[in-house]
Amino acid sequence: MGNAKRIGVLTAGGDSPGLNAAIRGLGKAAIGRHGMELIGFRDGVRGLAENRCFQLGPEALSGILTIGGTILGTSRDKVHRMRMGGEVVDAIPIIKDVVEQADLDCLVMLGGGGTAKNALRLSEAGIPVVHLPKTIDRDVAHTDNTFGFSTALEIATDAIDRLHSTAHSHHRVILAEIMGHKAGWLALGAGIAGGADVILIPEIPYSVDAIAETIRARQARGTNFSVIAVAEGANDTAAAQAIAAAESLKKAAGTPQEKAAAKSHLARVLDDHREHTFRLARSLEDATGLETRVTILGYVQRGGTPCAEDRLLGSRIGTAAADLIADGVSGVMVASKGDGTEPVDLKKVAGVLAQVPPDHPWIQTARDVGTGLGD
């Protein structure tokens, strides 16, 4: 074991079902097949910067396959702007020292889009990094799937199934707000699988009139209830235009003063459009005369035991990462491709959002079964 490779591993960003399966897959393959050592860092990149680590041996990996969340803990810090000792500092040099002192041959970072950016920054600083894509939003680019998505999809679908009975019994319109931030994969998938009557996603700005028309058409057919799946990042046409304009101003800002002003303006615009689901509910109640209610699924979607698909995906990606590290590969994300995996350069992944394309088959499926998309 004197020449064995030492791997550091951490989880960052929001917790997600399948994280422990991926840690287990990585660890079992690294230790059992390649004779490596595995060092866990607690609470994301903050724990890495603070060098809060422990040995992850076979005993620590035993029994975690079915456990939700992450045994390592997590945080949302940025490596180049981290609050330490009462001030915001560039923690990359500190992290580089930790990696060197720990004699790590590679650092494995499990997380979503923000983690991909952190991984790229560390990679460009000379630290060998491998990123494993995790998020219930499925918004990481260049991978067919992310572990966490399938479990969240099942949870959201089950919630829509249950809401149907209440909506039907009380002749109500019920809006189920589903996570997804700027990507509509989760709301779209759950809406189709759960038989939602309307699905609203960030990629398709909605019109209240168009949604009301869908509901009234159902009323005309004698159906006095509707269930609407709403992505948390969905917006009506006016809000979408205002947000896009504010984001463009932020991108175009040159001086530090302009950037600060543009950032503040964007924050105000976003704040103006918070709780859009409740405003939409009130508008639809006025337009249709049907009692309207909102259910926000929230963090329930991220919790609990991972489904079989996420256990399988996490295990596949974790073991593939161990094989890549054994071959000396770093600076990549381990992407899911069909039934296999492939390494993708972090430069292609970091900062790229995987949204639902307008011509995606799921969109066409929703339209073909008569689901309204608010446009």
Side-chain angles (χ1 to χ4, degrees):
M1 292 293 288
N3 295 321
K5 287 190 175 182
R6 287 169 58 86
I7 305 174
V9 58
L10 60 84
T11 53
D15 65 296
S16 185
L19 278 168
N20 289 324
I23 294 168
R24 175 182 177 272
L26 168 71
K28 283 187 171 287
I31 297 168
R33 188 160 70 223
H34 299 295
M36 301 176 183
E37 293 181 75
L38 195 63
I39 309 298
F41 288 89
R42 301 185 189 278
D43 303 328
V45 292
R46 173 163 296 279
L48 174 64
E50 296 173 353
N51 198 17
R52 291 191 277 118
C53 62
F54 65 103
Q55 190 88 19
L56 266 174
E59 289 187 3
L61 299 173
S62 178
I64 67 172
L65 177 64
T66 61
I67 298 175
T70 165
I71 61 168
L72 297 177
T74 187
S75 67
R76 293 186 180 275
D77 297 276
K78 298 178 181 179
V79 293
H80 64 305
R81 289 203 307 271
M82 189 182 300
R83 182 166 291 279
M84 301 182 73
E87 59 180 337
V88 177
V89 302
D90 180 358
I92 294 176
I94 299 170
I95 290 171
K96 197 168 182 179
D97 286 343
V98 169
V99 169
E100 290 174 355
Q101 291 168 13
D103 196 25
L104 298 181
D105 295 286
C106 190
L107 176 66
V108 179
M109 304 176 69
L110 289 72
T115 304
K117 292 180 184 178
N118 277 335
L120 178 60
R121 292 184 182 106
L122 295 182
S123 178
E124 291 177 337
I127 299 173
V129 177
V130 171
H131 171 233
L132 308 190
K134 165 272 335 168
T135 170
I136 69 168
D137 297 340
R138 197 187 173 188
D139 60 357
V140 177
H142 300 292
T143 181
D144 288 350
N145 204 351
T146 56
F147 52 90
F149 174 76
S150 293
T151 302
L153 182 62
E154 288 194 4
I155 293 168
T157 300
D158 182 66
I160 293 173
D161 288 347
R162 294 171 184 273
L163 290 172
H164 268 289
S165 60
T166 293
H168 178 269
S169 299
H170 293 273
H171 311 305
R172 286 174 176 166
V173 175
I174 296 186
L175 287 75
E177 186 179 281
I178 297 169
M179 282 184 167
H181 193 41
K182 293 184 177 181
W185 296 106
L186 190 55
L188 180 59
I192 294 171
D197 305 298
V198 178
I199 302 171
L200 307 177
I201 60 175
E203 295 85 347
I204 303 177
Y206 63 79
S207 157
V208 174
D209 290 340
I211 302 168
E213 183 179 342
T214 299
I215 295 171
R216 284 194 293 266
R218 288 173 55 77
Q219 287 179 292
R221 296 193 299 270
T223 306
N224 290 319
F225 74 95
S226 292
V227 175
I228 302 175
V230 189
E232 62 183 357
N235 281 295
D236 63 29
T237 306
Q241 290 173 348
I243 293 169
E247 288 176 339
S248 295
L249 281 175
K250 183 181 175 185
K251 288 179 182 178
T255 67
Q257 293 84 355
E258 289 175 343
K259 290 180 180 179
K263 185 177 180 181
S264 296
H265 174 63
L266 176 59
R268 287 194 298 272
V269 171
L270 291 172
D271 193 57
D272 287 342
H273 297 290
R274 294 192 195 283
E275 297 189 342
H276 72 97
T277 305
F278 288 97
R279 288 198 300 273
L280 174 59
R282 290 192 291 270
S283 297
L284 290 176
E285 186 166 289
D286 291 341
T288 65
L290 292 174
E291 190 176 30
T292 305
R293 293 289 183 268
V294 173
T295 294
I296 298 178
L297 303 187
Y299 295 115
V300 168
Q301 296 160 95
R302 291 211 308 230
T305 301
C307 69
E309 173 61 26
D310 278 331
R311 297 182 208 179
L312 176 59
L313 181 59
S315 298
R316 286 199 298 114
I317 289 179
T319 55
D323 292 341
L324 288 171
I325 294 167
D327 291 337
V329 178
S330 65
V332 300
M333 176 188 76
V334 184
S336 169
K337 295 294 180 180
D339 290 329
T341 61
E342 68 177 41
V344 179
D345 193 318
L346 282 170
K347 292 177 182 178
K348 294 183 178 180
V349 178
V352 181
L353 184 68
Q355 291 186 297
V356 181
D359 59 348
H360 193 274
W362 289 11
I363 295 285
Q364 190 58 50
T365 297
R367 295 194 189 281
D368 287 346
V369 297
T371 304
L373 294 175
D375 57 349

